[in-house]
Amino acid sequence: MRAALLLVDVQNDFLERPGLSPPAPVLVERVAELLAGCRTLAIPVLHVRTLVRRDGSNRMPHWQQAGRWACVEGTAGAEAPLELEVLPPERLLAKSYFSAFGNPETERVLRQLDIDTLVVAGLYTHGCIRATILDAYQAGYTVWAAEESVASTEPLHADLTRTHLGERACRFLTNQDILDRLGLPSVTRREVSDARVLPVGCVNGEWLQADDRSLLERRNPANWGETIAFVPLGRAKDIDHAVAVAVAGQAAWGRQTPGERAGHLAGWLRILDDRSQECVALMAREIGKPVVHGQAEFAYALSLLEAAVAQAQQREPDSPVPGVKVRRCPVGVVGLITPWNNPLAIAVSKLAAALAYGNGVVWKPAPEAPRLAMLIMRTLLEAGLPSGCVNLVQGDADTGRHLCAHPDIAAISLTGGIDTGREVAGLCALHGKALQA
């Protein structure tokens, strides 16, 4: 195998477009990690960038029609961040349209280097990355798409692209998977000893360390100069692990009677009630919620938990017609995605409802209140629920997408913004699962 890294359109103008997911700082960090590993292995690197002439004569027609200018030669917007600058003997190649192969020099250089495997990273997943992968596939290359090192301003289209290309033209792999395959199983990474770096999650009752995950910095909303936490961003492998554990845990939890499950939840209610001051203080510190509002949210959370316990203890519904028996059954493992503004009440209500009916849970809370999510998880563990039936994975929108797309997740329950809801509705439709939003 002879591999090369192809970095496509990682340029400031493209990175600054609104709605980029993952956000530009996260993407740049991930691409830099991949680039550093390839440099360590002396893997050839080609930087392919859109470069528009100053007279605009090579702008794409739809840019001309929209009056759009970007990545003009000689401007800062056409450059890459400093972390991704071109170093000798790496090549910088220009293009005008979508595919990196739109410049014949790309193919010529790759053939000259006797390359048979391409690692593709950059912008945008739904556009230039897609076009580049399809052209590379047609040209006979084995293609590895760097799953964590591509980004898009059209997340639903990006998800469709991953599904389409992953079944045909390439394999989507994490940075570490790619570096492992290239022969660098142990990459030198930042040593994390800061107590503000939180676990990436809690799976099967065990807290998982951040290790090599990207970190999201969280600041004190009342004192922006103070960093209060670094939240690890869960990857596909973290979701895979949590879901596998939840599937096994749900089997035992689902066999319990409604009364037994209600007993566990009643115990959780008592434990949570004892942590009221801590919960309210964390809401104030992490999201800036006034204490009086935090106290009201805590009371509301307990009332929702009580309602779930009472509902779980109700007898089976009456038969709609003679001779027909109705019984409630778990749907399996549900994914819960909860918001930052009511991080306690909404999380507790979703967890309680899912668990009351015997479902397993993988929960991705909003990253704005990570320590509160950890506290909620600790109270669940203290309540003695069967191992693995509830699992927590911290993360961002990408983490949520992996959760929604996982084949063993039967249903998603989401509270979030309108745009998030539309995207998750599309994902659930694409992957054939129920959605409560």
Side-chain angles (χ1 to χ4, degrees), residues 128-338:
C128 296
I129 295 298
R130 178 189 178 103
T132 297
I133 289 173
L134 287 173
D135 282 351
Y137 174 66
Q138 182 175 338
Y141 294 98
T142 297
V143 184
W144 298 341
E147 181 177 42
E148 300 164 313
S149 299
V150 293
S152 177
T153 54
E154 300 283 347
L156 182 55
H157 291 172
D159 290 323
L160 291 167
T161 295
R162 289 189 185 95
T163 300
H164 179 79
L165 295 181
E167 294 173 352
R168 295 168 177 83
C170 70
R171 295 193 65 182
F172 279 87
L173 303 170
T174 66
N175 285 357
Q176 189 59 60
D177 286 339
I178 289 169
L179 295 174
D180 285 348
R181 289 164 183 261
L182 293 175
L184 190 67
S186 179
V187 182
T188 301
R189 301 179 187 274
R190 170 185 54 201
E191 290 295 325
V192 176
S193 57
D194 193 327
R196 295 172 298 179
V197 178
L198 304 181
V200 71
C202 182
V203 177
N204 208 23
E206 298 181 0
W207 293 96
L208 308 178
Q209 297 310 303
D211 295 333
D212 61 344
R213 277 77 168 182
S214 298
L215 301 176
L216 180 65
E217 184 179 11
R218 294 299 309 145
R219 293 176 179 268
N220 183 345
N223 176 12
W224 203 245
E226 179 191 3
T227 297
I228 59 176
F230 291 99
V231 184
L233 303 182
R235 297 176 172 178
K237 64 180 181 182
D238 300 308
I239 293 295
D240 290 344
H241 178 36
V243 173
V245 167
V247 168
Q250 189 274 329
W253 179 244
R255 283 195 297 269
Q256 293 196 11
T257 67
E260 289 171 331
R261 293 195 295 264
H264 282 293
L265 294 178
W268 179 34
L269 191 153
R270 291 189 294 272
I271 292 166
L272 192 61
D273 196 15
D274 289 338
R275 311 296 283 271
S276 62
Q277 290 185 348
E278 194 174 349
C279 289
V280 171
L282 279 172
M283 281 190 279
R285 179 160 174 75
E286 293 193 312
I287 64 169
K289 178 161 285 195
V291 169
V292 65
H293 295 166
Q295 291 169 336
E297 180 170 344
F298 186 85
Y300 184 44
L302 289 191
S303 70
L304 292 170
L305 180 48
E306 288 171 347
V309 172
Q311 195 169 31
Q313 291 174 315
Q314 291 177 359
R315 64 183 179 86
E316 298 292 353
D318 293 332
S319 172
V321 294
V324 174
K325 179 177 174 59
V326 177
R327 63 188 179 93
R328 298 184 177 97
C329 298
V331 297
V333 177
V334 298
L336 306 181
I337 301 175
T338 57

Side-chain angles (χ1 to χ4, degrees), residues 21-23 233 364 367 395-403 420 423 427:
S21 181
L233 303 182
K364 192 211 83 68
D396 60 359
D398 267 357
T399 317
R401 290 186 190 101
H402 291 309
L403 181 61
T420 302
E423 182 185 352
L427 277 172

